[in-house]
Amino acid sequence: MPPTTTLDRVPRGASVRVVTVDGGDAIARRLDDLGLREGVAVEVLRRAPLGDPTVFELHGYQLCLRKSESGRVRVEPVDGAPA
């Protein structure tokens, strides 16, 4: 089983796959509505100079999330790529 980390810790340019989204509250449901679901591929495009927020690409669109939101998304590397 590949190691997992959270989406806020993935370096720029890396591609990962969503394992799960932590929590069962409104924020977790909103992340699900935005397409962050198990098995979805996500690429880290760019990060603000102070490290927050970060822009991700998934499902062919770009999504900007704060660390507090992306830290709830557990991910794993895509086919051996470092996360």
Side-chain angles (χ1 to χ4, degrees), residues 9-77:
R9 295 177 180 215
V10 177
R12 190 176 62 172
S15 294
V16 293
R17 188 168 313 280
V18 175
V19 175
T20 187
V21 176
D22 294 337
D25 58 1
I27 293 173
R29 284 191 301 275
R30 181 65 178 149
L31 293 172
D32 183 76
D33 290 344
L34 292 169
L36 288 164
R37 298 183 181 134
E38 183 179 348
V40 171
V42 179
E43 181 180 357
V44 181
L45 295 182
R46 59 186 173 274
R47 188 162 279 136
L50 296 178
D52 192 27
T54 302
V55 177
F56 305 94
E57 183 169 307
L58 60 147
H59 297 296
Y61 77 94
Q62 295 181 2
L63 174 66
C64 184
L65 296 174
R66 296 202 173 276
K67 275 187 175 182
S68 61
E69 299 157 339
S70 58
R72 300 171 67 140
V73 181
R74 291 200 114 355
V75 296
E76 64 185 9

